Amino acid sequence: MPWKYNGNTIQVGRAFTGTDGTQYPKVWMRYSADEKAAIGITWEDPPASEAPFDNMFYSGRQTDGTLIPKSLTDTLWVDEDGNAVNDLTGEQGKTLGLKNTAIATAKEQAATQLAPYDWYVTRKSEKSTAIPSSVTTYRDAVRTACAAIETSIGNASDFAAFMALYDRPVDSDNEPTGPAPINDWPDAI
């Protein structure tokens, strides 16, 4: 939220004049915490209703400031009377929920990781040249990881469990010990 001086919001990157007539330059942000305090510049945390939020998981805030979580499941389109709204194909439209969006992303990531090695499969098919075992092992590991990620997504029983898939495990010193479950892919070869 805002920096304040004498109860008024001051803008970062803009000069301002103190109540005693002192001109403060636009680089006042570079002042130390002690210098800011001596001048009377204070930080005011935003009210919870205005705090930023992660739009990957939330669609906005209710009027009381409560976050609105996105749906885990697909949402069918309906008008204000509850009647189906069709998409361009004539079928009832839907907005993908967090789970199906995450599964689609995992499939895209797997395809991206497999693509550089697809030529080995083509060569094997066309010329009967063996695929190196390291490539076969890696490709199998990518498919296994994708299946495990999809299973984890499907098994997330509620919003908190789904969000936990994005949390990296940490040790007692709060240092990461591995990737988040949603990003647990094998190392590239």
Side-chain angles (χ1 to χ4, degrees):
M1 185 78 178
W3 285 98
K4 297 251 178 157
Y5 174 77
N6 197 29
N8 297 314
T9 299
I10 55 175
Q11 300 297 317
V12 173
R14 295 190 75 189
F16 70 96
T17 303
T19 54
D20 62 356
T22 303
Q23 297 284 324
Y24 294 98
K26 65 181 181 179
V27 296
W28 61 265
M29 268 297 295
R30 296 182 188 165
Y31 293 172
S32 70
D34 291 339
E35 290 171 315
K36 287 177 192 157
I39 294 168
I41 299 172
T42 59
W43 173 258
E44 183 179 288
D45 284 329
S49 62
E50 296 176 16
F53 59 88
D54 189 339
N55 65 4
M56 180 174 170
F57 301 111
Y58 300 98
S59 60
R61 292 186 181 276
Q62 296 178 12
T63 54
D64 66 358
T66 305
L67 288 170
I68 302 168
K70 290 184 178 180
S71 177
L72 289 177
T73 58
D74 296 348
T75 306
L76 296 175
W77 298 352
V78 294
D79 63 18
E80 53 277 345
D81 296 324
N83 300 317
V85 174
N86 293 342
D87 62 16
L88 296 176
T89 67
E91 298 294 321
Q92 184 173 11
K94 67 180 174 183
T95 300
L96 290 180
L98 290 173
K99 285 185 173 186
N100 279 338
T101 300
I103 288 171
T105 299
K107 288 178 185 283
E108 289 172 13
Q109 289 173 326
T112 298
Q113 293 180 47
L114 294 171
Y117 306 98
D118 286 348
W119 69 273
Y120 284 105
V121 177
T122 303
R123 183 180 72 172
K124 167 86 169 143
S125 174
E126 292 177 354
K127 300 291 184 179
S128 298
T129 304
I131 301 172
S133 63
S134 61
V135 172
T136 303
T137 301
Y138 173 71
R139 289 175 63 87
D140 288 343
V142 168
R143 285 188 284 270
T144 300
C146 187
I149 290 168
E150 288 181 44
T151 299
S152 295
I153 293 166
N155 288 343
S157 59
D158 58 23
F159 191 73
F162 179 80
M163 286 184 62
L165 296 174
Y166 292 83
D167 293 337
R168 292 182 72 177
V170 295
D171 62 18
S172 60
D173 295 325
N174 210 29
E175 293 295 322
T177 59
I182 199 89
N183 291 316
D184 195 6
W185 298 99
D187 292 332
I189 56 172

